[in-house]
């Protein structure tokens, strides 16, 4: 990696925190990462990070870093990518060159806790011009399973583009805008790759996998198949292409921090046709690799354009 060429020619975008108390702290312990400003040289360890990819499972984020290392020709001779957060089992983190790969678990509370610490980590490390991409899974609405959805707008379960955070007992409403030009760049990358079908559409973020997504196969179901269909059709009419569980808070927090962000999810099931994930393990795994392949291609293209990769 030729680091000089990674520097932006124009003004660089810092990672913004909105907390006057942070700069007065002698030490900041990033508890769920098992990292801290007094115990780790964060600028030395992470200062070169330009792309952060986040996804639900620790195993998938390790697979992603191995894939990325091969794509960028930066394989470690021992093919060993240690978990930077090995001292905790809350989240896993891996790094290759300017790419950081971090797991976030399931749902809004899990990803938002991780994002607070990730944003502080990038801030303490003095990173600039960082792009954050969520690579995940979802249920599709009227799409062939395996279709990849790049999120245009993340909406809540009432189809509104907002994230409501309860702070000191009051509801604070935050905007869930994502970077549309980044979504378009990703769509173009998918066309160049020509390996699978990708669409841009709205993504609905719910608080639960079962009742929250109108499934008929949870431990409780106090509505009918007809009610479910009516809700999903209404969602589709509001432009919703897929359903997952983290995108609203992800979009809101990235926007507050000035981070360019995108959500790229494979659909595992067409929810108009069923609720259970009936495809084989191998087929589901191949679908889950699609966001990795797309985002990997995008990152490589960006680094090539910056002249940052060895020929
Ligand atoms: C997609 O898949 C997970 C639930 O199975 C959840 O994290 C999400 O957003
Ligand atoms: N993840 C979800 O949140 N919903 C699905 O239907 C599939 C994956």
């Amino acid at each position: 990696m030729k680091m000089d060429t990674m520097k932006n020619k124009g003004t660089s975008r810092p990672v913004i925190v909105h907390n006057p108390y942070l700069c007065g702290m002698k030490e900041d312990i990033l508890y769920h990462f098992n990292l801290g400003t007094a115990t780790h040289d964060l600028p030395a360890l992470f200062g070169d990070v330009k792309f952060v990819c986040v996804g639900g499972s620790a195993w998938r984020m390790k697979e992603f870093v191995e894939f990325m290392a091969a794509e960028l020709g930066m394989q470690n001779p021992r093919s060993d990518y240690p978990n930077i957060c090995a001292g905790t089992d809350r989240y896993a983190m891996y790094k290759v060159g300017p790419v950081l790969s971090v797991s976030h678990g399931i749902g809004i509370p899990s990803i938002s806790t991780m994002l607070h610490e990730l944003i502080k980590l990038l801030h303490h490390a003095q990173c600039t011009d960082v792009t954050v991409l969520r690579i995940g899974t979802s249920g599709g609405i009227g799409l062939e399973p395996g279709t990849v959805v790049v999120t245009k707008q993340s909406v809540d379960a009432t189809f509104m583009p907002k994230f409501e955070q309860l702070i000191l007992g009051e509801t604070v409403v935050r905007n869930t805008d994502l970077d549309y030009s980044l979504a378009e760049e990703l769509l173009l990358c998918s066309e160049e790759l020509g390996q699978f079908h990708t669409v841009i559409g709205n993504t609905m973020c719910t608080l639960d996998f079962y009742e929250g997504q109108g499934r008929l196969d949870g431990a409780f179901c106090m509505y009918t198949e007809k009610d479910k269909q009516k809700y999903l059709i209404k969602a589709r009419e509001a432009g919703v292409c897929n359903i997952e569980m983290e995108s609203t808070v992800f979009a809101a927090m990235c926007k507050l921090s000035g981070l360019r962000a995108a959500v790229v999810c494979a659909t595992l099931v067409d929810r108009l046709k069923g609720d259970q994930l009936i495809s084989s393990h191998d087929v589901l795994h191949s679908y889950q690799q699609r966001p990795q392949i797309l985002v990997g291609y995008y990152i490589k293209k960006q680094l090539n354009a910056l002249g940052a990769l060895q020929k």
Side-chain angles (χ1 to χ4, degrees):
M1 177 71 41
K2 295 181 276 169
M3 288 314 300
D4 280 350
T5 55
M6 290 286 293
K7 292 210 177 94
N8 212 337
K9 292 192 184 68
T11 48
S12 51
R13 281 179 295 115
V15 180
I16 303 160
V17 292
H18 300 266
N19 180 356
Y21 292 102
L22 267 189
C23 58
M25 284 164 59
K26 249 180 46 209
E27 177 184 4
D28 187 9
I29 297 169
L30 307 177
Y31 168 66
H32 301 89
F33 286 159
N34 197 35
L35 295 170
T37 51
T39 46
H40 297 81
D41 183 347
L42 299 179
L45 289 168
F46 299 102
D48 62 341
V49 169
K50 297 291 173 200
F51 299 95
V52 183
C53 298
V54 303
S57 111
W59 185 86
R60 197 167 1 107
M61 297 324 287
K62 177 154 201 217
E63 184 185 56
F64 178 70
V65 95
E66 288 166 356
F67 169 72
M68 226 39 251
E71 280 293 293
L72 302 180
M74 290 182 181
Q75 291 103 321
N76 176 314
R78 285 174 292 126
S79 285
D80 185 20
Y81 302 94
N83 177 4
I84 298 167
C85 300
T88 169
D89 59 4
R90 294 295 184 187
Y91 304 108
M93 183 186 289
Y94 305 93
K95 184 175 180 299
V96 61
V99 182
L100 197 64
S101 175
V102 193
S103 70
H104 59 60
I106 291 185
I108 288 172
S110 184
I111 194 174
S112 75
T113 303
M114 188 283 283
L115 285 174
H116 272 282
E117 294 184 16
L118 175 67
I119 290 163
K120 291 196 296 171
L121 171 77
L122 298 171
H123 169 76
H124 291 312
Q126 292 157 28
C127 295
T128 55
D129 302 311
V130 179
T131 300
V132 189
L133 302 117
R134 166 165 143 70
I135 46 176
T137 58
S138 62
I141 306 185
L143 295 172
E144 190 62 33
T147 304
V148 172
V149 179
V150 181
T151 304
K152 179 178 176 190
Q153 214 169 26
S154 175
V155 299
D156 66 11
T158 67
F159 322 132
M160 296 303 288
K162 62 179 166 61
F163 171 65
E164 293 188 348
Q165 173 76 298
L166 269 168
I167 303 174
L168 307 179
E170 303 280 339
T171 301
V172 175
V173 181
R174 288 184 172 156
N175 179 297
T176 58
D177 278 351
L178 288 157
D179 189 311
Y180 192 63
S181 65
L182 178 56
E184 285 183 318
E185 283 172 48
L186 287 159
L187 187 68
L188 180 67
C189 285
S190 176
E191 281 159 16
E192 288 169 9
L193 265 169
Q195 292 182 18
F196 42 79
H197 185 49
T198 301
V199 297
I200 292 186
N202 292 348
T203 296
M204 179 162 77
C205 179
T206 67
L207 301 181
D208 163 59
F209 185 82
Y210 289 97
E211 290 172 289
Q213 298 186 5
R215 280 189 151 78
L216 304 173
D217 61 344
F220 314 108
C221 180
M222 290 141 190
Y223 43 85
T224 64
E225 158 92 50
K226 208 167 144 212
D227 297 332
K228 166 196 156 177
Q229 290 293 338
K230 203 169 140 198
Y231 179 63
L232 293 181
I233 297 292
K234 218 169 132 190
R236 198 171 59 169
E237 283 167 3
V240 173
C241 284
N242 64 336
I243 313 173
E244 47 78 91
M245 298 174 62
E246 291 87 15
S247 60
T248 48
V249 73
F250 171 82
M253 292 179 76
C254 289
K255 188 173 169 76
L256 276 176
S257 298
L259 291 159
R260 220 178 165 214
V263 178
V264 183
C265 289
T267 60
L268 304 183
V269 58
D270 180 356
R271 291 297 318 292
L272 295 178
K273 297 196 176 141
D275 296 331
Q276 299 248 308
L277 305 187
I278 49 170
S279 304
S280 71
H281 179 271
D282 284 355
V283 167
L284 290 177
H285 183 235
S286 76
Y287 291 165
Q288 287 175 34
Q289 283 179 323
R290 292 178 175 185
Q292 299 188 26
I293 294 168
L294 178 52
V295 164
Y297 179 90
Y298 166 77
I299 292 174
K300 192 173 172 183
K301 189 173 161 183
Q302 293 299 306
L303 293 174
N304 268 326
L306 288 165
L309 293 179
Q310 307 286 353
K311 291 276 178 259

